[in-house]
Amino acid sequence: MTRTEPNRSPKSDSENSGGGGGGGTTAMRVIVPLQGVVQGRGGLFLGSVIPCAFFYFLQFYLKRNRKNEPDSEQSPDSDPNSGSPDPTRSQSVGNLKELTSLPRSLSRILLSPRLSGGAVSLSGRAGCVIKGGDSPYYAGQKRVEEDPYDESGNPDGVIELGSAQNFNLEDDWFSDNPREVISDNPREVISDGLCMSGISSYEPSHGLIELKTAVAGFMSEATKNSVSFDPTQLVLTSGAASAIEILSFCLADSGNAFLVPTPCSPGYDRDVKWRTGVDLIHVPCRSADNFNISMLVLDRAFHQAKKRGVRIRGIVISNPWNPTGTLLTKENLYALLDFARERNIHVISNEVFAGSVHEEGGEFVSMAEVVDTEENVDRERVHIIYDLSKDLSFTGLRTAAIYSFNESVLSASRKLTTLSPVSSPTQHLLISAISNPKFVQRFVKTNRERLTRVYTELVKGLKELGIECTRSSGGFFCWADMRGLMSSYSEKGEIELWNKLLNVGKINVIPGSCCHCIEPGWFRVCFSNLSERDVPVVMNRVRKVCESCKS
Amino acid sequence: MVALTAAKQDQNLLSRMAAGDGHGENSAYFDGWKAYEENPFHPIDRPDGVIQMGLAENQLCGDLMRKWILEHPEASICTAEGVNHFSDIAIFQDYHGLPEFRQAVAKFMEKTRNNKVKFDPDRIVMSGGATGAHETVAFCLANPGDGFLVPTPYYPGFDRDLRWRTGVNLVPVTCHSSNGFKITVEALEAAYENARVSNIPVKGLLITNPSNPLGTTLDRDCLKSLVKFTNDKRIHLIADEIYAATTFGESEFISVAEVIEEVPDCNRDLIHIVYSLSKDMGLPGLRVGIVYSYNDRVVQIARKMSSFGLVSSQTQHLIAKMLSDDDFVDEFIRKSKLRLAARHAELTTGLDGLGIGWLKAGAGLFIWMDLRNLLKTATFDSEMELWRVIVHKVKLNVSPGGSCHCNEPGWFRVCFANMDHKTMETALERIRVFTSQLEEESLKLTKPMAAPPMVAKKKMCWQSSLRLSFKDTRRFDEGFFSPRSPVPQSPLVRAQI
């Protein structure tokens, strides 16, 4: 039962047994295997009763404690329920305690305002984050920041294989083709884009229609023109994180949940859950199924949540799948849509890597295409997220889009973008960059070719070292099976290996636990930061780790 | 019927937040904008269109900005001169922001506070405009259901920015015209007590200095008392200083950053500043909002939240270049103040000539106009009635005090910096015609009694529909202690007033 280990932090052994940011995950990781065990012996009944009873008693215990304390302090003004989350939420033990106890301690500060020694009170949300910051995902990023690899300057530095950014393209591309991006008439851009309309007045915060048209065109190009996107159904936001957050705010109330097939993008914990109070229920996909979504498991997760009193509002998928790189087939998409209709929930399709399909002949099917071709689909349920910074590698320009068929969602999202708008000069820059179809076509093609080359090299190299990857057809990463290198088949073993890769091999990859993978030993390796030259360097480093593992 | 069920189903399918009207855009403040958007004024094409006086934008120094950008084409990376920086900037992704951007902003903030205080570039956290900055602060400091004290009248957008997604309540601190809408400790205590009675845990006090919509600046003693009040109560003090450089004439802006140096034993962990370049530099399109907190944890968390509203790296680069140009910035601020003062004088002398009062103030991009003597009765219904006439007949979009949660009917916010001189003249002319018409009418009214009943009847219709919309917008509002609430006020509030 190593699975029940509540802590995923790399320093887990000694400190920090409180759970923290990955609390929701821990709950699933406890409950899913527990139910598996119980179902094997006692059937469905016990499988649902035991966790429910567990939660019931926990809540009972917490409620009693909460009621008692303010009373004992003789508070005239403390409202025991103020600010505390809905107790029916699916949270891990640690997380639930943390969330309910935080507001309580805050109200105690209010009671004795002159208590100068205590810490200044922040919101419960703030508290969660401070504790959640040390997951390997962020710890690895920090290491890279401190000691980044540079071919000539710092050859011993840490190589970033963790973040899915497309760094390398510009170096070769924009230095050769600067004119492609910039306008032929810079003065025009300046006066149009910056002064007259851009800077000195408010424009619609959800994006200029010219940019929306250009983005719609780019999205069509990324899907090989198999579907045309309607610019009026687009809402532009500053970055995919805020696009996902806005959708979560619109589609679910605090305490509701989304289903997420795992392994999933490590960013969801922050983007979906943090400020919205929406929960994620992970639906584990297994290596035995090649990490494909099983509708059976999906259905079971839905019912289990329902039994626990959690309302499921939608399912979040990514296509091409982050982190495995799988493309969902038309059949997959139809099955998901059927599932959503039957259960009356939304489908959020994260298609930020749509333009980065690198497999020869790999066919990406957008959810929009399925919705367009099929008559009987409930379009109102389908929402797509797109991000210019991934395919275009303009990470700094922070422009992402929500594409929805639901007018209410669109109108709410438009209003919400005042809180995270795209700056005007950037919009004008992007308009001039991606309105040119020739540029877009060449860009997408160059990008694909480069990704294919690096991917092939990397997978070949890893295979020579005995590390297999699942077949990845799109995105910036491959999903590597390093189960053989772990000292023990457990999360602890996985984190140990991750530490080794980071400190001995000096490469930063993402351990599967950050992607909420149910099986230990899988790692996400991003290759978009690499050029072909770098691949041998990476291989040498992985070899070093392999050897140290075997010895 | 079909539409109805569809709407119902839709509501069921969406979150309460998306289906509800927490966005607060049903208020008159936003209605006026819609009226303007339908029929915007243009000196040649639409001479009888609505003049936008509800938008606090600083366009008086656009020419200076334009000149600088044309002289520095390399600053925006989309020109031939700047393309060498393109790849560095376009891929830059760090929640901290470009170091030169943070340094330049910190320096600019010092400049707009007369170099009396130092700002640490490492405490500068960016967000999507001042709206995003406010929301970030609210997310960091308060749980859903907690409250912030806000002196009234306040900026109507706060209802959306601070409350919609965060679930935070705004507790009004009632200020009165009798003392020039000053924030007094008594009013703060009363509001704090009100919140306590209605079980809202108060987490902070939010002030705008210079005040939006009043255009006044807070004096040193007042700021000190606010710092003391918040420190005593152990609640946060959030100072919105986005109009810092718009002071003109004799009035002086004092930042809370300066005051906390003078208050002994001030707990700085409770002090937060929200800033933006939209007003002071007239750059709203850049959507640059800044959170400057003295609390390390807030800086840390707000920075993590800034991933939800990062300023694009291109914009950061442009601003870093622009604000590092000392000569330009100094000249810009100096000229901007002169032009604002001139425009303010133009508007106020015009109003003085017509016998219309306004609150004495020397900051901001607006004046607080006193039309209390034009109201039929001293109620918010009749304020709305007058406002409708001003928007639809006089064709000036001003913001009624009611939408700013002012507790006295008859005040209006009039923005003056978002138009050229000619438009201002037209606007003044329209006000002149309007007041003279009113005088004629009042003369007529004293004689025959034929017309009034019909007018009165018509007004009744407006009023009834009006009341409905009020109910809608204020359903989740601060409840019984709102002076405009249809529910009778609690004896406590009445006693306090």
Side-chain angles (χ1 to χ4, degrees), chain B residues 211-242:
Chain B
S211 165
N212 178 6
L214 299 175
T216 50
T217 48
L218 298 179
D219 59 49
R220 199 172 294 268
D221 291 336
C222 177
L223 275 168
K224 274 186 190 165
S225 71
L226 295 181
V227 171
K228 281 211 188 84
F229 173 82
T230 48
N231 259 278
D232 285 349
K233 297 274 192 253
R234 287 190 60 75
I235 60 175
H236 296 274
L237 176 62
I238 306 146
D240 174 338
E241 300 185 346
I242 63 174

Short mmCIF file of all heavy atoms in Angstrom, two decimals, chain B residues 211-242:
data_model
loop_
_atom_site.label_atom_id
_atom_site.label_comp_id
_atom_site.label_asym_id
_atom_site.label_seq_id
_atom_site.Cartn_x
_atom_site.Cartn_y
_atom_site.Cartn_z
N SER B 211 -9.11 60.20 -4.95
CA SER B 211 -10.36 59.47 -4.94
C SER B 211 -11.02 59.44 -6.31
O SER B 211 -11.09 60.43 -7.01
CB SER B 211 -11.31 60.12 -3.94
OG SER B 211 -12.62 59.64 -4.17
N ASN B 212 -11.46 58.26 -6.70
CA ASN B 212 -12.37 58.09 -7.81
C ASN B 212 -13.69 57.73 -7.18
O ASN B 212 -13.74 56.73 -6.46
CB ASN B 212 -11.85 56.96 -8.71
CG ASN B 212 -12.76 56.69 -9.88
OD1 ASN B 212 -13.73 57.40 -10.10
ND2 ASN B 212 -12.45 55.64 -10.63
N PRO B 213 -14.76 58.47 -7.32
CA PRO B 213 -15.07 59.50 -8.29
C PRO B 213 -14.92 60.95 -7.80
O PRO B 213 -15.27 61.85 -8.57
CB PRO B 213 -16.56 59.23 -8.53
CG PRO B 213 -17.06 58.80 -7.20
CD PRO B 213 -15.94 58.04 -6.57
N LEU B 214 -14.41 61.18 -6.59
CA LEU B 214 -14.49 62.54 -6.07
C LEU B 214 -13.41 63.46 -6.64
O LEU B 214 -13.62 64.66 -6.78
CB LEU B 214 -14.37 62.52 -4.53
CG LEU B 214 -15.46 61.75 -3.80
CD1 LEU B 214 -15.15 61.69 -2.31
CD2 LEU B 214 -16.80 62.41 -4.02
N GLY B 215 -12.25 62.91 -6.93
CA GLY B 215 -11.14 63.75 -7.39
C GLY B 215 -10.41 64.44 -6.26
O GLY B 215 -9.59 65.32 -6.50
N THR B 216 -10.69 64.05 -5.03
CA THR B 216 -9.99 64.66 -3.89
C THR B 216 -8.78 63.82 -3.52
O THR B 216 -8.70 62.64 -3.86
CB THR B 216 -10.92 64.71 -2.66
OG1 THR B 216 -11.47 63.41 -2.46
CG2 THR B 216 -12.03 65.70 -2.86
N THR B 217 -7.84 64.45 -2.81
CA THR B 217 -6.71 63.68 -2.28
C THR B 217 -6.85 63.61 -0.77
O THR B 217 -7.44 64.50 -0.16
CB THR B 217 -5.37 64.34 -2.63
OG1 THR B 217 -5.46 65.73 -2.30
CG2 THR B 217 -5.05 64.19 -4.09
N LEU B 218 -6.31 62.56 -0.20
CA LEU B 218 -6.38 62.42 1.26
C LEU B 218 -5.21 63.17 1.89
O LEU B 218 -4.09 63.09 1.39
CB LEU B 218 -6.31 60.94 1.64
CG LEU B 218 -7.45 60.06 1.12
CD1 LEU B 218 -7.24 58.62 1.55
CD2 LEU B 218 -8.78 60.57 1.63
N ASP B 219 -5.48 63.89 2.97
CA ASP B 219 -4.37 64.61 3.62
C ASP B 219 -3.63 63.68 4.57
O ASP B 219 -4.04 62.56 4.84
CB ASP B 219 -4.88 65.86 4.33
CG ASP B 219 -5.91 65.52 5.37
OD1 ASP B 219 -5.64 64.62 6.19
OD2 ASP B 219 -7.00 66.13 5.38
N ARG B 220 -2.50 64.17 5.05
CA ARG B 220 -1.60 63.34 5.84
C ARG B 220 -2.27 62.81 7.11
O ARG B 220 -2.15 61.63 7.44
CB ARG B 220 -0.37 64.18 6.20
CG ARG B 220 0.83 63.39 6.62
CD ARG B 220 2.03 64.31 6.75
NE ARG B 220 2.45 64.86 5.47
CZ ARG B 220 3.36 64.31 4.68
NH1 ARG B 220 3.91 63.18 5.03
NH2 ARG B 220 3.70 64.85 3.55
N ASP B 221 -3.01 63.68 7.79
CA ASP B 221 -3.63 63.25 9.04
C ASP B 221 -4.65 62.15 8.80
O ASP B 221 -4.75 61.18 9.55
CB ASP B 221 -4.30 64.44 9.73
CG ASP B 221 -3.27 65.43 10.23
OD1 ASP B 221 -2.12 64.98 10.45
OD2 ASP B 221 -3.59 66.62 10.37
N CYS B 222 -5.42 62.36 7.73
CA CYS B 222 -6.45 61.37 7.41
C CYS B 222 -5.80 60.02 7.11
O CYS B 222 -6.21 58.99 7.63
CB CYS B 222 -7.26 61.85 6.22
SG CYS B 222 -8.49 60.68 5.70
N LEU B 223 -4.74 60.04 6.30
CA LEU B 223 -4.05 58.79 5.97
C LEU B 223 -3.50 58.12 7.22
O LEU B 223 -3.59 56.91 7.38
CB LEU B 223 -2.92 59.07 4.98
CG LEU B 223 -3.32 59.11 3.52
CD1 LEU B 223 -2.21 59.69 2.67
CD2 LEU B 223 -3.67 57.72 3.01
N LYS B 224 -2.93 58.96 8.10
CA LYS B 224 -2.39 58.40 9.34
C LYS B 224 -3.48 57.73 10.15
O LYS B 224 -3.30 56.64 10.70
CB LYS B 224 -1.74 59.50 10.17
CG LYS B 224 -0.30 59.77 9.79
CD LYS B 224 0.32 60.76 10.75
CE LYS B 224 1.67 61.21 10.23
NZ LYS B 224 2.15 62.39 10.91
N SER B 225 -4.63 58.39 10.19
CA SER B 225 -5.71 57.80 10.98
C SER B 225 -6.19 56.50 10.35
O SER B 225 -6.57 55.56 11.05
CB SER B 225 -6.86 58.80 11.14
OG SER B 225 -7.53 58.96 9.92
N LEU B 226 -6.15 56.44 9.02
CA LEU B 226 -6.57 55.19 8.36
C LEU B 226 -5.57 54.07 8.66
O LEU B 226 -5.97 52.93 8.92
CB LEU B 226 -6.67 55.40 6.84
CG LEU B 226 -7.74 56.38 6.36
CD1 LEU B 226 -7.73 56.46 4.85
CD2 LEU B 226 -9.11 55.94 6.85
N VAL B 227 -4.29 54.41 8.60
CA VAL B 227 -3.27 53.40 8.90
C VAL B 227 -3.44 52.92 10.34
O VAL B 227 -3.39 51.72 10.63
CB VAL B 227 -1.85 53.98 8.68
CG1 VAL B 227 -0.79 53.02 9.20
CG2 VAL B 227 -1.62 54.25 7.20
N LYS B 228 -3.69 53.87 11.24
CA LYS B 228 -3.87 53.49 12.65
C LYS B 228 -5.10 52.62 12.81
O LYS B 228 -5.07 51.61 13.51
CB LYS B 228 -4.01 54.75 13.51
CG LYS B 228 -2.69 55.41 13.80
CD LYS B 228 -2.70 56.10 15.17
CE LYS B 228 -1.45 56.93 15.37
NZ LYS B 228 -1.55 58.27 14.77
N PHE B 229 -6.18 53.04 12.16
CA PHE B 229 -7.43 52.28 12.28
C PHE B 229 -7.24 50.84 11.82
O PHE B 229 -7.59 49.90 12.53
CB PHE B 229 -8.53 52.95 11.44
CG PHE B 229 -9.80 52.18 11.36
CD1 PHE B 229 -10.74 52.23 12.38
CD2 PHE B 229 -10.08 51.39 10.24
CE1 PHE B 229 -11.91 51.51 12.30
CE2 PHE B 229 -11.25 50.66 10.16
CZ PHE B 229 -12.17 50.72 11.19
N THR B 230 -6.63 50.68 10.64
CA THR B 230 -6.47 49.32 10.12
C THR B 230 -5.49 48.52 10.97
O THR B 230 -5.69 47.33 11.18
CB THR B 230 -5.98 49.34 8.66
OG1 THR B 230 -4.87 50.23 8.56
CG2 THR B 230 -7.07 49.80 7.73
N ASN B 231 -4.45 49.18 11.47
CA ASN B 231 -3.51 48.47 12.32
C ASN B 231 -4.15 48.03 13.62
O ASN B 231 -3.94 46.91 14.08
CB ASN B 231 -2.32 49.38 12.62
CG ASN B 231 -1.12 49.03 11.77
OD1 ASN B 231 -0.39 48.11 12.08
ND2 ASN B 231 -0.95 49.73 10.66
N ASP B 232 -4.97 48.91 14.20
CA ASP B 232 -5.64 48.56 15.46
C ASP B 232 -6.57 47.38 15.27
O ASP B 232 -6.67 46.51 16.12
CB ASP B 232 -6.45 49.76 15.97
CG ASP B 232 -5.55 50.81 16.57
OD1 ASP B 232 -4.35 50.51 16.75
OD2 ASP B 232 -6.02 51.93 16.84
N LYS B 233 -7.27 47.40 14.14
CA LYS B 233 -8.24 46.32 13.91
C LYS B 233 -7.57 45.09 13.31
O LYS B 233 -8.24 44.09 13.06
CB LYS B 233 -9.32 46.80 12.94
CG LYS B 233 -10.16 47.94 13.46
CD LYS B 233 -11.32 47.42 14.28
CE LYS B 233 -12.33 48.51 14.56
NZ LYS B 233 -12.30 48.99 15.94
N ARG B 234 -6.30 45.20 13.01
CA ARG B 234 -5.57 44.13 12.33
C ARG B 234 -6.27 43.73 11.03
O ARG B 234 -6.51 42.55 10.77
CB ARG B 234 -5.39 42.91 13.23
CG ARG B 234 -4.37 43.16 14.31
CD ARG B 234 -4.01 41.87 15.04
NE ARG B 234 -3.46 40.87 14.15
CZ ARG B 234 -2.22 40.91 13.67
NH1 ARG B 234 -1.43 41.90 13.96
NH2 ARG B 234 -1.80 39.95 12.88
N ILE B 235 -6.61 44.72 10.24
CA ILE B 235 -7.14 44.43 8.91
C ILE B 235 -6.21 45.10 7.90
O ILE B 235 -5.39 45.93 8.24
CB ILE B 235 -8.59 44.94 8.74
CG1 ILE B 235 -8.67 46.45 8.96
CG2 ILE B 235 -9.53 44.20 9.66
CD1 ILE B 235 -10.04 47.02 8.70
N HIS B 236 -6.34 44.67 6.65
CA HIS B 236 -5.44 45.16 5.62
C HIS B 236 -5.86 46.55 5.13
O HIS B 236 -7.04 46.89 5.17
CB HIS B 236 -5.43 44.20 4.43
CG HIS B 236 -4.90 42.85 4.77
ND1 HIS B 236 -3.57 42.55 4.75
CD2 HIS B 236 -5.53 41.72 5.17
CE1 HIS B 236 -3.39 41.28 5.10
NE2 HIS B 236 -4.58 40.76 5.36
N LEU B 237 -4.89 47.31 4.69
CA LEU B 237 -5.19 48.60 4.05
C LEU B 237 -4.73 48.52 2.60
O LEU B 237 -3.54 48.33 2.32
CB LEU B 237 -4.47 49.74 4.77
CG LEU B 237 -4.64 51.13 4.14
CD1 LEU B 237 -6.10 51.55 4.14
CD2 LEU B 237 -3.81 52.17 4.86
N ILE B 238 -5.68 48.62 1.69
CA ILE B 238 -5.35 48.56 0.27
C ILE B 238 -5.54 49.95 -0.30
O ILE B 238 -6.64 50.49 -0.27
CB ILE B 238 -6.26 47.57 -0.47
CG1 ILE B 238 -6.23 46.22 0.21
CG2 ILE B 238 -5.87 47.45 -1.93
CD1 ILE B 238 -7.54 45.50 0.16
N ALA B 239 -4.46 50.54 -0.79
CA ALA B 239 -4.55 51.89 -1.34
C ALA B 239 -4.47 51.81 -2.86
O ALA B 239 -3.48 51.35 -3.41
CB ALA B 239 -3.43 52.75 -0.79
N ASP B 240 -5.53 52.24 -3.50
CA ASP B 240 -5.58 52.30 -4.96
C ASP B 240 -5.07 53.69 -5.35
O ASP B 240 -5.75 54.68 -5.10
CB ASP B 240 -7.02 52.05 -5.41
CG ASP B 240 -7.21 52.24 -6.90
OD1 ASP B 240 -6.39 52.94 -7.52
OD2 ASP B 240 -8.19 51.70 -7.44
N GLU B 241 -3.87 53.74 -5.91
CA GLU B 241 -3.27 55.04 -6.20
C GLU B 241 -3.07 55.24 -7.69
O GLU B 241 -2.08 55.82 -8.14
CB GLU B 241 -1.93 55.17 -5.44
CG GLU B 241 -2.12 55.05 -3.93
CD GLU B 241 -0.84 55.29 -3.13
OE1 GLU B 241 0.24 55.29 -3.71
OE2 GLU B 241 -0.98 55.50 -1.91
N ILE B 242 -4.03 54.77 -8.48
CA ILE B 242 -3.80 54.81 -9.93
C ILE B 242 -3.88 56.22 -10.50
O ILE B 242 -3.46 56.45 -11.62
CB ILE B 242 -4.78 53.88 -10.69
CG1 ILE B 242 -6.22 54.31 -10.53
CG2 ILE B 242 -4.62 52.44 -10.25
CD1 ILE B 242 -7.16 53.49 -11.39
#
